[in-house]
Amino acid sequence: MIAFFDASALIYLIEGKEPFASNVRKKLAAAAKQYPDLGSGMSRLSWLECRVGPMKANDNALLAAFDAFFARTDLVWVELTKDVVELAAAIRVKHGLRTPDSLQAASCLQLGTNHLFLTGDAAFKRVTGLNVKVLA
């Protein structure tokens, strides 16, 4: 099982703003208890979105905290391949999600059925096959 981090979920976790950070930690703890082999995954789009805020604010400490997470050797990366982009287009048409959200959903679906999609946005629940865990 892989916990796939939408950018919002990882931002909540790394930046530590409450009550969001606690919600992410609780969902992760519950998932780890249910799935002892729980891994972590994310798309390159999340990498981009998580780094923009600290870069704009010139917050090198926060940027380093994100980069430490991204450097984890057990992190599963989903690249934005042609297949991901094609699926994202279909998701956008069918479910009306914005392009970045469609790319996130399509990225997660590349992992197969054994995933938990961690996000702060309930709109992802519209996507068939996406096992969404809303953190708000």
Side-chain angles (χ1 to χ4, degrees):
M1 183 65 69
I2 296 176
F4 182 92
F5 286 86
D6 180 30
S8 63
L10 189 57
I11 290 168
Y12 295 159
L13 183 65
I14 301 295
E15 291 186 0
K17 293 184 181 161
E18 297 299 346
F20 305 109
S22 292
N23 287 338
V24 175
R25 286 190 297 271
K26 286 177 192 172
K27 297 275 185 180
L28 284 173
K33 188 173 184 179
Q34 185 175 358
Y35 307 103
D37 63 339
L38 184 68
S40 297
M42 64 187 311
S43 71
R44 289 293 175 178
L45 179 58
S46 287
W47 177 83
L48 180 153
E49 291 179 327
C50 290
R51 297 182 90 246
V52 168
M55 290 172 75
K56 275 185 176 179
N58 202 25
D59 187 338
N60 293 327
L62 184 56
L63 187 60
F66 278 111
D67 287 345
F69 181 89
F70 301 142
R72 293 174 41 178
T73 57
D74 64 331
L75 188 61
V76 175
W77 286 99
V78 179
E79 303 297 343
L80 297 178
T81 63
K82 181 179 183 259
D83 290 341
V84 170
V85 174
E86 285 180 0
L87 180 56
I91 290 169
R92 182 160 163 66
V93 168
K94 183 175 182 179
H95 301 290
L97 296 180
R98 296 175 305 124
T99 297
D101 292 344
S102 297
L103 286 165
Q104 292 289 49
S107 293
C108 184
L109 289 171
Q110 300 303 301
L111 299 171
T113 58
N114 291 329
H115 69 268
L116 302 172
F117 186 84
L118 304 174
T119 184
D121 187 349
F124 284 103
K125 288 187 170 191
R126 297 192 302 249
V127 180
T128 306
L130 203 58
N131 187 10
V132 178
K133 299 294 178 200
V134 179
L135 304 168

